[in-house]
Amino acid sequence: MAASDVDFLVLIDSIGLLSGILTQEDIATRVINHGIDHLVNTPVSKVMTWNPIFVLSDTLYVEALQKMVQGEVTRLPVIEKGEVIGLVCIMDCLRDADKIMGRKAAKLMAANWDALERYC
């Protein structure tokens, strides 16, 4: 993750179905806090989040945003026909809301835009 400068991985099984995700939070809470000191020999399956929240490809942005807020996450895998086809980020939803709501939304978000972009 560090070498590729990513903080979120979607993990799929051998037939392409979503099996979990691995986030910086997973690493911090399950590796660092639990004192796992042999990372070289620790399988991803011991620290990943199993059965993560996801959305289908025809899910509306507002529904995806609601799922993120309720699940306290900033990214969701996107599934189509059982396979992972992408990732939606809270910033994607907020940008779309900005286009729909216009200048009023832009003004409300402008003050926090930089902080929000750090999450995506």
Side-chain angles (χ1 to χ4, degrees):
M1 290 173 72
S4 298
D5 194 29
V6 296
D7 58 4
F8 188 98
L9 294 175
V10 175
L11 305 165
I12 57 172
D13 64 17
S14 61
I15 58 171
L17 301 177
L18 177 66
S19 60
I21 58 173
L22 181 66
T23 68
Q24 287 180 337
E25 185 177 345
D26 291 331
I27 293 167
T29 58
R30 296 191 183 115
V31 174
I32 297 169
N33 289 347
H34 291 108
I36 297 174
D37 57 357
H38 300 289
L39 289 179
V40 175
N41 298 319
T42 302
V44 171
S45 62
K46 290 213 182 228
V47 294
M48 68 187 248
T49 297
W50 289 89
N51 302 313
I53 302 168
F54 63 89
V55 292
L56 300 176
S57 61
D58 61 352
T59 301
L60 299 174
Y61 268 118
V62 68
E63 293 173 54
L65 185 56
Q66 287 173 330
K67 277 191 164 193
M68 284 185 251
V69 170
Q70 290 170 349
E72 298 180 357
V73 297
T74 58
R75 295 173 186 82
L76 295 174
V78 179
I79 308 293
E80 185 175 279
K81 297 179 183 174
E83 295 184 2
V84 178
I85 62 163
L87 190 65
V88 66
C89 175
I90 198 165
M91 284 303 296
D92 298 329
C93 296
L94 292 174
R95 283 187 191 107
D96 193 54
D98 179 48
K99 290 175 191 170
I100 294 167
M101 295 173 64
R103 292 186 81 101
K104 192 171 191 176
K107 286 180 182 179
L108 292 172
M109 290 187 292
N112 296 309
W113 198 262
D114 290 338
L116 288 169
E117 282 195 315
R118 286 182 290 182
Y119 292 103
C120 293

